[in-house]
Amino acid sequence: MLRTDWTRAEIATIFDMPFTDLVMQAATVHREHHAPGAVQLCTLLSVKTGGCPEDCGYCSQSAHAKSGLAAGKLMDLSEVLAAASAAKAAGSQRFCMGAAWRAPKARDMDAVVAMVRSVRALGLETCMTLGMLDKQQAEQLAEAGLDYYNHNIDTSPENYPSVISTRTFGDRLETLAHVRDAGINVCCGGIVGMGETREDRVGFVHALATLPRHPESVPVNALVPVRGTVLGDMLADTPLAKIDDIEFVRTVAAARITMPRSMVRLSAGRESMSDATQALCFLAGANSIFTGDRLLTTASAGDSADAALFAKLGLVPMTTAEPMTIAAE
């Protein structure tokens, strides 16, 4: 049975395990529920960049940031389809589309729905991240056939107000509830390395693992510090605040152990990780990545670099839309 009643004390104990024991336990859990060595390839496209009114301290797309990123308009459907076709040709299974909005407006929904329908027609899984959704918008996306909706909780409930002030942790949970009620799969994770404590990372995993139903996808991002953002400037001035690689792997392992059937995605920050660190993440249960040259507005390693890494580690791209399940629920 999948547990949704984890206590913070239990998750803290997981984090505190000797590192090799922790990774071994996570690897064992992973192999009980997923095909070992198979990694899902996903591509992320920014379909509307910059000008977001939210004040997320990590985000270069915030109108509050001084990153120099200009606000753009929603992409044309033809551009989105060209990018999706290229992603499919490169081996991606899931195509994720992100728009820098607090929430989509009613006038945006027809274009967004057209993107979902058209990308699905290419034979790709679809995912969108558009900010907060109301009940009706979630239902519109479900009717269009959207497979996944991404809405990250970012960090622990306690640390959340130090990162974002323009919406609450409860607002995040409300959108997730609308997505669930509409029958769309949930993609929900967050960012580590924002100067948070181990206790915050425990709280972050606890908040995800105690949702009424685990997210089907759990992206674990390492902060990519961007000058002009609150957190980017903070980490540039105090580099020791950056999370170390072993602690990042511990977070991935804790997510895998507490949410055994979820796809745990090694997301932003991979471009600054060594091959060895990424290998440890895969060993600890990560089985999904973003590939391609960009993640929204930050650089990514690219398809050729990922292919070389997979060859070095003996990993293969997942060939079906869902991971192989070995153990019964």
Side-chain angles (χ1 to χ4, degrees):
M1 293 291 293
L2 295 182
R3 289 186 55 188
T4 58
D5 62 348
W6 293 94
T7 67
R8 286 204 179 198
E10 287 176 313
I11 296 174
T13 298
I14 291 171
F15 267 90
D16 290 342
M17 288 174 66
F19 183 72
T20 53
D21 292 345
L22 172 62
V23 172
M24 180 174 288
Q25 182 173 333
T28 300
V29 169
H30 179 75
R31 281 156 176 74
E32 289 172 351
H33 296 275
H34 302 274
V39 178
Q40 183 190 54
L41 302 182
C42 309
T43 297
L44 177 60
L45 176 69
S46 179
V47 297
K48 191 279 174 189
T49 302
C52 180
E54 303 281 17
D55 67 353
C56 306
Y58 51 79
C59 186
S60 63
Q61 300 199 68
S62 169
H64 300 262
K66 298 177 181 178
S67 61
L69 184 68
K73 296 180 179 180
L74 189 64
M75 290 177 68
D76 290 335
L77 179 59
S78 60
E79 296 177 281
V80 174
L81 286 179
S85 296
K88 183 178 181 181
S92 283
Q93 289 183 332
R94 186 179 301 173
F95 191 70
C96 307
M97 295 161 275
W101 289 324
R102 173 178 170 81
K105 294 181 172 60
R107 65 173 183 262
D108 302 315
M109 292 304 296
D110 285 347
V112 165
V113 163
M115 290 178 188
V116 173
R117 293 189 190 280
S118 299
V119 172
R120 283 192 97 239
L122 296 176
L124 287 163
E125 283 187 347
T126 53
C127 181
M128 281 199 149
T129 179
L130 312 171
M132 296 186 292
L133 297 179
D134 61 27
K135 183 176 185 292
Q136 182 180 2
Q137 289 169 332
E139 290 173 351
Q140 284 178 271
L141 291 172
E143 186 178 353
L146 183 68
D147 298 294
Y148 288 81
Y149 192 80
N150 167 260
H151 198 60
N152 291 335
I153 59 168
D154 288 339
T155 187
S156 69
E158 295 79 12
N159 190 48
Y160 188 90
S162 71
V163 178
I164 304 160
S165 70
T166 48
R167 58 178 157 177
T168 67
F169 196 84
D171 291 334
R172 301 269 184 174
L173 297 182
E174 183 178 34
T175 289
L176 293 176
H178 290 323
V179 170
R180 273 281 179 235
D181 290 345
I184 302 170
N185 292 310
V186 168
C187 175
C188 184
I191 306 170
V192 296
M194 297 191 292
E196 77 282 348
T197 64
R198 163 76 71 83
E199 186 177 353
D200 287 319
R201 289 186 281 278
V202 169
F204 160 63
V205 173
H206 177 262
L208 293 171
T210 56
L211 288 170
R213 180 174 163 186
H214 295 161
E216 281 75 19
S217 288
V218 178
V220 182
N221 299 273
L223 178 70
V224 178
V226 177
R227 273 291 192 182
T229 63
V230 173
L231 291 172
D233 290 345
M234 178 197 76
L235 285 178
D237 295 334
T238 56
L240 291 179
K242 182 181 182 294
I243 189 172
D244 70 38
D245 291 345
I246 296 299
E247 186 69 10
F248 185 86
V249 177
R250 284 184 182 276
T251 307
V252 170
R256 170 51 68 217
I257 291 168
T258 57
M259 294 171 281
R261 282 182 173 250
S262 301
M263 302 294 290
V264 176
R265 182 178 301 127
L266 184 55
S267 297
R270 276 203 311 126
E271 73 287 341
S272 63
M273 294 179 190
S274 68
D275 288 354
T277 297
Q278 292 184 69
L280 284 171
C281 288
F282 292 127
L283 182 60
N287 62 339
S288 178
I289 63 168
F290 278 126
T291 190
D293 297 324
R294 295 195 70 75
L295 299 181
L296 293 179
T297 61
T298 58
S300 187
D303 299 328
S304 59
D306 289 334
L309 177 63
F310 276 32
K312 183 185 291 187
L313 300 180
L315 301 174
V316 295
M318 200 171 284
T319 56
T320 57
E322 294 298 328
M324 181 178 77
T325 300
I326 298 171
E329 223 177 284

